Amino acid sequence: MINENHSYIEKEISAACEKHNINRSKINLVAVSKYNPVSSIIEAYEDGLIHFGESRAQELKDKAEQISLDIQWHFIGHLQTNKVKIVVENSDFIHSVDSIKLAAEIQKRAANIDKIQNIFIEVKTSGEDSKFGVSEFKDAYELADYCTEAKNIEVIGLMTMAPYTDDEKVIRNCFSTLRNLKDQLNKKNSSITELSMGMTNDFKIAIEEGATYLRIGSAIFGERNY
Ligand SMILES: *Cc1c(COP(=O)(O)O)cnc(C)c1O
């Protein structure tokens, strides 16, 4: 099932790229494996996937310790400072950095193990209370600035989640807001290149709006059992 799902998604991504004149190789597919077993990750890896996304620190650690394949681990869930050590020790990318306090802890833990931690700054583009992320330009700017100065942090991009809705306009607006924010930040002092946006429900719109990291779970692994 995973390989059929993966080839279906891959076809959809390629078609969207072709339609909008986007180079397929600019887009990274993060297979969101949260709540799915190690066996499914191995199956997906054998089918050619190398980026995997997890949303809980302990689950990430357990899986990373059990699997000794050449996988890029992405932490995509909300991150609390008391979990930073585990996540820094086990992830290649953190997509959910939303405060200077959190960034300071990442800097400290990454320095301890002599690592440069790749991060995305999470931006709340939807206005929804249930979502995390910085929502004002000033906060995004200050956080990007802080992270750029931090020796053990590499800011590679911005991340957002659109609301779960059928209203394409609302979704598109979130994604274009993120892209515009990247351009605004880069006018100041940043060199942010990547946009982490688009999930099972909305990845085609995300591609059209410039996504470079798609985070797709259920379309690859099936519905999750929580
Ligand atoms: C779970 C999750 C995803 C994947 O969601 P699907 O709808 O299953 O593709 C992507 N991003 C984040 C932040 C998530 O928590």
Side-chain angles (χ1 to χ4, degrees):
M1 185 194 70
I2 290 171
N3 67 1
E4 282 162 31
N5 290 347
H6 178 206
S7 38
Y8 175 75
I9 288 293
E10 188 49 54
K11 259 190 223 139
E12 297 276 297
I13 295 171
S14 300
C17 285
E18 207 160 304
K19 189 163 156 204
H20 300 281
N21 232 334
I22 296 161
N23 186 342
R24 169 65 187 89
S25 68
K26 293 269 192 301
I27 298 177
N28 302 283
L29 174 53
V30 180
V32 175
S33 47
K34 65 187 183 192
Y35 296 91
N36 281 283
V38 161
S39 57
S40 296
I41 297 175
I42 294 171
E43 193 179 332
Y45 177 84
E46 284 170 351
D47 199 44
L49 287 160
I50 52 167
H51 296 279
F52 290 88
E54 291 289 335
S55 62
R56 297 181 301 175
Q58 192 60 43
E59 186 176 345
L60 166 71
K61 179 175 193 270
D62 292 344
K63 287 174 171 172
E65 282 176 357
Q66 284 176 62
I67 305 174
S68 60
L69 299 167
D70 190 14
I71 281 176
Q72 298 276 299
W73 291 105
H74 295 252
F75 186 79
I76 62 171
H78 180 57
L79 182 54
Q80 282 161 334
T81 45
N82 64 344
K83 299 285 168 62
V84 165
K85 180 174 184 285
I86 297 179
V87 170
V88 165
E89 285 173 355
N90 291 283
S91 71
D92 298 288
F93 298 84
I94 300 174
H95 290 238
S96 46
V97 180
D98 63 357
S99 72
I100 288 181
K101 181 173 167 243
L102 182 60
E105 185 67 15
I106 292 171
Q107 164 57 35
K108 178 178 135 192
R109 296 298 181 178
N112 281 349
I113 57 169
D114 207 11
K115 168 188 187 183
I116 308 284
Q117 178 69 53
N118 293 317
I119 65 120
F120 291 79
I121 290 172
E122 182 169 1
V123 182
K124 180 158 43 172
T125 54
S126 68
E128 290 176 298
D129 286 341
S130 61
K131 300 260 189 314
F132 295 97
V134 292
S135 45
E136 304 296 327
F137 176 79
K138 180 172 162 285
D139 294 335
Y141 174 73
E142 285 174 7
L143 181 52
D145 202 42
Y146 179 87
C147 292
T148 304
E149 293 295 316
K151 281 199 174 57
N152 296 76
I153 295 178
E154 177 83 16
V155 187
I156 70 155
L158 304 180
M159 179 274 221
T160 202
M161 285 174 90
Y164 188 76
T165 170
D166 289 332
D167 190 340
E168 196 180 310
K169 254 204 196 136
V170 170
I171 296 171
R172 190 177 296 282
N173 185 53
C174 289
F175 295 156
S176 62
T177 298
L178 195 71
R179 189 189 60 237
N180 290 331
L181 179 62
K182 172 174 76 90
D183 296 341
Q184 292 306 115
L185 291 172
N186 285 343
K187 271 184 202 152
K188 289 232 169 180
N189 72 339
S190 312
S191 53
I192 295 168
T193 56
E194 309 302 320
L195 293 175
S196 168
M197 56 193 198
M199 308 173 22
T200 292
N201 197 40
D202 53 22
F203 72 89
K204 281 189 242 172
I205 304 171
I207 292 172
E208 292 168 16
E209 297 300 329
T212 59
Y213 284 80
L214 306 173
R215 310 179 310 268
I216 299 182
S218 35
I220 296 173
F221 295 106
E223 289 301 321
R224 283 179 289 276
N225 287 318
Y226 289 108

